[in-house]
Amino acid sequence: MDSNEPMLLLSSRIGQIGDLGLDLLWRFLHIVVSLFHIVSGIFEAIQSYAISLGLIQKYSSVDIEKLRCLAVVLDIEVARDVAKVVELLQWLKTIGVKQVGLFDSQGLLKKSKDMILEMVPGSTLLQETGEKDISPDRKEGIAIEFISSSDNKEAVVKAANILLKRHLKTSHPEKDEGNNVFTESHLNEALRVVGENVHVPDLMLVYGPVRSHLGFPAWRLRYTEIVHMGSLKYMRYGSLLKAIHKFTGVRQNYGV
Amino acid sequence: MCRRENNDLSGNDVVQSFITGSGSFPTFASLNSQLRILVLSLLPSTISDPKNLGTVLHFIYLSSGEGMGGGIRQLLEQVHRLSRRCLFRVLSMGPLPTHLAFIMDGNRRYAKKRGLEDGSGHKAGFSALMSMLQYCYELGIKYVTVYAFSIDNFRRKPEEVQSLMDLMLEKIKSLLDKESIVHEYGIRVYFIGNLGLLNDQVRAAAEEVMKATAKNSRVVLLVCVAYNSTDEIVQAVKRSCVDKADRDVERIQLVDIEENMQMSVAPEPDILIRSSGETRLSNFLLWQTGNSQLFSPDALWPEIGLRHLVWAILNFQRSHSYLEKKKKQL
């Protein structure tokens, strides 16, 4: 029995050393990944400055007509930095974007909406019905929409309740399978009634640490190109132009 | 080469196939270097009687399963498996995703790029899927979801849709085989989507597989066929409403819709990988991916490999604490 104890101790020590070795290998792998990100970040920064200075011909003109609706998803931390958001909106206006939806999951930007609209000259609040009224005085301006997570799942719940009421009004709700009340177009219409904009953004720019849509209204995300722009604090005009330019080159099949 | 007596037929066939490259026997080009040397060294002695060459080639072919060529292949496979196990052991020192989703895009482009005939891109895609599933389950990822066929895909040419349905039927049936990956890993399979849109045979096969694997609980595979996220949301709303109407309740809540979503059998995906470099979700898991990290490697789906999976997981591990914090905030 005594001989078992040193053996157990030895094997547990070997196990600990093994785990330490694996842990070191894991950290080493992550150092390599971080180095890769640092180097690619440097290259991107250089390219972005070159684009801003107009040195790269390819990006000097952008077919902005293709971008009808842009969505910008902001991480909560970055959404607090209203000055940066305003600067981004001004850049978008310079590029010629006509319609922008600003999203942050907790609705911080919705609270600052008046301040933002005031600070961006020529900006207007996009009507909730999302009607496309291209009036002459709006040609130079930018229409901004403020979106938060309450426009995602909660809005679908509200729309579902509208459809439920409609279904209950049919003469025999228990026999009716609901095929003429519950279709995609009916839900779409119910969302409009609830006050939601149902237009599908063509392009989504994500400013935050991770490429994720962070809970943007699911109903509108079908064919949206999702691009990760990095941190808002270090945003660059060249990267913005590059992302929009790349979008204009995309060709979608829509599943066909 | 004229035909000889009956017992020479096999030798003649092999030589013919060997030279013309037709039939199921290997060609000279397909042999490994050691076998080529062997064949070349035997040629002088067989030139007087081609029957001897045929017999020798036949022998090489028959023994390639257990002989030199096969042995080397098996050894390489073992080495790959061992190094993969070591790599996965290292990766598991950090947080691992519970649920991985894949959009298998790029099969047609792959076939075009390689100059193959139309359906073979999808067949190559299926093998890529099997490899990825194997890696995921070896790594210990419990849920894997794949986007096999979208409702939008029904709008493709009828011949293409039919050949995809035939391929799906064949592969779904193969899941029931004893040697399939389902039995190897104890996979529970779900088919998610508007199954009513599929033809009767495919639907019946899918239901059979779901029933046969219902008792498995180790790992889960969710195959989205005839699926659209917007359709899933509408169906969930419909089911909750009809259910509430039946019970005379006039109000729906979020929890009702959530539990009626077909994907409620799995937690939200941690990672969503779309191959072929496209950056959109194409109506896949829009409701469930609020906290998911999205990756778009440039490789076409049949070209996807272990390196893409490892890269995605390493990046997931870097952002894991951020995503966990976000989940707690909501």
Side-chain angles (χ1 to χ4, degrees):
Chain A
M1 246 173 328
D2 275 351
S3 61
N4 273 344
E5 269 188 44
M7 286 302 291
L8 281 171
L9 205 61
L10 184 66
S11 64
S12 93
R13 284 269 185 267
I14 291 176
Q16 279 173 351
I17 294 173
D19 275 343
L20 189 65
L22 285 172
D23 194 53
L24 284 172
L25 271 172
W26 181 76
R27 284 178 203 280
F28 173 73
L29 263 181
H30 274 282
I31 290 173
V32 170
V33 173
S34 301
L35 277 172
F36 173 85
H37 281 295
I38 290 171
V39 170
S40 70
I42 293 173
F43 276 116
E44 264 175 51
I46 296 174
Q47 191 187 33
S48 166
Y49 286 125
I51 294 172
S52 314
L53 295 170
L55 295 174
I56 304 183
Q57 278 290 52
K58 201 165 71 159
Y59 301 107
S60 50
S61 71
V62 168
D63 182 12
I64 202 68
E65 296 305 315
K66 262 191 130 181
L67 182 58
R68 286 159 303 183
C69 177
L70 174 73
V72 175
V73 164
L74 299 157
D75 175 53
I76 299 171
E77 293 308 318
V78 310
R80 291 186 218 275
D81 194 348
V82 177
K84 276 287 184 186
V85 175
V86 165
E87 193 184 348
L88 175 66
L89 287 168
Q90 283 164 341
W91 284 355
L92 289 171
K93 189 162 154 259
T94 315
I95 294 173
V97 175
K98 289 279 178 285
Q99 198 176 335
V100 180
L102 288 177
F103 172 85
D104 74 284
S105 57
Q106 302 220 338
L108 295 172
L109 290 172
K110 261 186 189 170
K111 292 182 189 143
S112 331
K113 109 177 138 190
D114 295 322
M115 181 165 50
I116 292 174
L117 286 169
E118 212 175 310
M119 288 169 78
V120 180
S123 64
T124 51
L125 186 66
L126 186 71
Q127 295 307 314
E128 279 176 339
T129 51
E131 292 295 328
K132 280 203 162 76
D133 54 340
I134 319 282
S135 48
D137 54 331
R138 261 208 38 196
K139 257 195 164 165
E140 294 305 314
I142 185 169
I144 306 175
E145 187 195 354
F146 295 87
I147 317 165
S148 69
S149 349
S150 61
D151 299 303
N152 184 16
K153 296 185 181 181
E154 285 170 33
V156 171
V157 173
K158 286 186 201 153
N161 276 302
I162 291 180
L163 292 181
L164 176 62
K165 283 196 180 66
R166 226 176 268 174
H167 177 63
L168 289 172
K169 280 201 188 106
T170 61
S171 45
H172 297 284
E174 63 281 355
K175 286 189 195 149
D176 183 8
E177 276 184 10
N179 287 330
N180 49 0
V181 177
F182 301 108
T183 63
E184 281 190 37
S185 44
H186 285 118
L187 187 54
N188 208 42
E189 197 216 310
L191 280 165
R192 273 214 180 103
V193 166
V194 165
E196 294 300 323
N197 182 355
V198 292
H199 281 125
V200 176
D202 302 299
L203 174 63
M204 171 189 282
L205 303 174
V206 180
Y207 282 95
V210 158
R211 180 167 172 249
S212 165
H213 60 76
L214 300 180
F216 189 88
W219 191 254
R220 299 173 66 182
L221 265 181
R222 273 158 269 185
Y223 304 110
T224 309
E225 304 285 339
I226 302 174
V227 177
H228 185 215
M229 301 298 289
S231 135
L232 189 72
K233 199 166 150 199
Y234 303 112
M235 66 181 189
R236 288 182 288 266
Y237 183 75
S239 309
L240 183 61
L241 204 56
K242 182 180 170 191
I244 295 177
H245 184 273
K246 193 167 170 214
F247 159 76
T248 57
V250 164
R251 197 184 71 87
Q252 282 205 34
N253 285 336
Y254 299 100
V256 177
Chain B
M1 210 168 279
C2 58
R3 285 192 168 258
R4 306 222 174 157
E5 303 91 46
N6 274 347
N7 56 6
D8 284 337
L9 275 175
S10 59
N12 276 341
D13 286 344
V14 171
V15 174
Q16 285 228 330
S17 304
F18 192 72
I19 295 167
T20 60
S22 58
S24 57
F25 292 108
T27 60
F28 186 68
S30 69
L31 295 178
N32 68 30
S33 51
Q34 281 149 317
L35 288 174
R36 287 189 204 177
I37 293 168
L38 176 65
V39 168
L40 288 170
S41 63
L42 289 170
L43 265 178
S45 56
T46 60
I47 236 124
S48 55
D49 190 352
K51 173 178 80 175
N52 289 343
L53 178 60
T55 315
V56 163
L57 290 171
H58 202 172
F59 173 76
I60 289 172
Y61 166 71
L62 284 175
S63 61
S64 62
E66 301 110 40
M68 280 179 292
I72 289 170
R73 203 172 30 243
Q74 274 184 354
L75 187 66
L76 276 173
E77 245 178 68
Q78 287 299 338
V79 168
H80 276 146
R81 204 163 246 219
L82 192 64
S83 38
R84 209 163 55 224
R85 259 188 78 186
C86 291
L87 176 60
F88 288 166
R89 189 76 184 82
V90 173
L91 279 180
S92 53
M93 295 310 287
L96 286 176
T98 323
H99 183 177
L100 223 62
F102 293 100
I103 300 181
M104 307 190 288
D105 192 16
N107 293 326
R108 293 189 294 182
R109 267 171 282 179
Y110 177 82
K112 208 169 164 188
K113 187 170 142 183
R114 293 286 177 109
L116 303 168
E117 58 176 39
D118 280 338
S120 27
H122 295 292
K123 292 201 178 95
F126 184 77
S127 333
L129 172 63
M130 289 295 114
S131 318
M132 285 307 267
L133 283 181
Q134 188 185 359
Y135 302 149
C136 287
Y137 296 135
E138 276 177 14
L139 194 48
I141 295 173
K142 185 161 177 192
Y143 296 90
V144 178
T145 303
V146 295
Y147 200 9
F149 194 86
S150 159
I151 295 179
D152 293 332
N153 295 150
F154 278 115
R155 292 184 291 147
R156 290 185 180 176
K157 284 187 277 196
E159 314 84 62
E160 193 186 336
V161 175
Q162 187 55 45
S163 82
L164 273 168
M165 288 293 138
D166 292 339
L167 178 68
M168 256 198 288
L169 183 62
E170 182 197 324
K171 298 303 177 190
I172 292 175
K173 282 190 174 158
S174 75
L175 289 177
L176 290 167
D177 290 341
K178 289 276 178 299
E179 304 86 38
S180 79
I181 195 175
V182 164
H183 288 94
E184 191 182 338
Y185 292 101
I187 304 180
R188 178 164 188 180
V189 183
Y190 286 99
F191 285 93
I192 309 273
N194 200 338
L195 300 184
L197 296 173
L198 295 169
N199 69 41
D200 292 335
Q201 282 179 306
V202 178
R203 185 173 51 249
E207 279 162 7
E208 197 186 331
V209 169
M210 283 199 277
K211 201 164 140 205
T213 58
K215 293 209 179 61
N216 296 344
S217 59
R218 268 183 62 207
V219 285
V220 181
L221 171 64
L222 301 108
V223 182
C224 293
V225 275
Y227 175 89
N228 255 358
S229 201
T230 43
D231 181 68
E232 187 196 5
I233 295 172
V234 168
Q235 297 301 328
V237 165
K238 178 174 166 185
R239 272 195 284 272
S240 343
C241 285
V242 168
D243 175 57
K244 293 289 181 188
D246 283 346
R247 294 188 286 137
D248 268 333
V249 177
E250 285 192 11
R251 191 149 176 77
I252 292 182
Q253 291 174 320
L254 181 59
V255 59
D256 303 314
I257 298 181
E258 296 263 1
E259 51 186 39
N260 278 300
M261 295 287 272
Q262 281 189 296
M263 284 295 297
S264 62
V265 292
E268 290 185 344
D270 296 297
I271 300 179
L272 191 153
I273 298 179
R274 177 175 185 147
S275 57
S276 81
E278 303 292 346
T279 53
R280 53 193 178 270
L281 293 175
S282 292
N283 222 333
F284 181 58
L285 301 185
L286 307 175
W287 184 272
Q288 294 86 353
T289 43
N291 292 310
S292 313
Q293 199 166 359
L294 312 170
F295 290 96
S296 294
D298 285 327
L300 300 172
W301 179 254
E303 294 167 347
I304 205 147
L306 183 61
R307 62 194 185 285
H308 302 106
L309 181 65
V310 170
W311 182 249
I313 290 177
L314 284 170
N315 281 291
F316 164 79
Q317 289 180 336
R318 278 163 61 94
S319 344
H320 176 73
S321 54
Y322 166 77
L323 286 167
E324 285 296 292
K325 204 170 75 178
K326 280 220 54 67
K327 273 188 208 164
K328 290 197 177 90
Q329 275 168 354
L330 284 173

